[in-house]
Amino acid sequence: MFSHDQIWAGIDRLALSHGLSPSALARRAGLDPTSLNRSKRFTREGRPRWPSTSSIAKLLRATGVPLEEFAALVGAAANPDSPAQPASRPESACEIKARVSSTP
């Protein structure tokens, strides 16, 4: 199960992996540009505000990233040794499978 912080870190990583700020990613996905701001991640009362599944689907559609790759970005947030800013877009499952199957 992913935590609130991990989901938001995954969204931040998704933006970074496409050379975008969270606001630019939101605009590309057709969301309000402020919807991914850090200030919107908690209510005024301090309760966590989770992104909706609809918003996540729009982010993935806008970037062309499959859910499995997004889950890897979210999961990377749980690993303190993983880089905070991925150097490039993570490999897709198909790319990994092709790489592994071509290894002698």
Side-chain angles (χ1 to χ4, degrees):
M1 181 181 224
F2 296 126
S3 72
H4 175 263
D5 289 341
Q6 290 168 332
I7 293 288
W8 282 109
I11 290 171
D12 291 339
R13 286 171 183 264
L14 178 65
L16 287 171
S17 71
H18 285 80
L20 301 169
S21 67
S23 293
L25 176 60
R27 278 192 299 277
R28 180 182 282 186
L31 301 172
D32 181 283
T34 66
S35 62
L36 303 180
N37 286 0
R38 292 191 186 279
S39 63
K40 301 269 181 118
R41 298 178 185 190
F42 291 89
T43 66
R44 289 181 191 205
E45 296 78 29
R47 290 189 312 262
R49 181 176 285 145
W50 292 74
S52 70
T53 54
S54 174
S55 292
I56 291 173
K58 288 177 181 181
L59 297 173
L60 299 182
R61 193 173 313 117
T63 56
V65 171
L67 182 59
E68 296 81 10
E69 289 183 30
F70 178 66
L73 292 171
V74 172
N79 181 357
D81 295 330
S82 67
Q85 298 181 11
S88 63
R89 186 169 180 246
E91 286 183 294
S92 70
C94 293
E95 291 166 332
I96 293 169
K97 189 182 286 186
R99 183 174 41 81
V100 170
S101 64
S102 68
T103 305

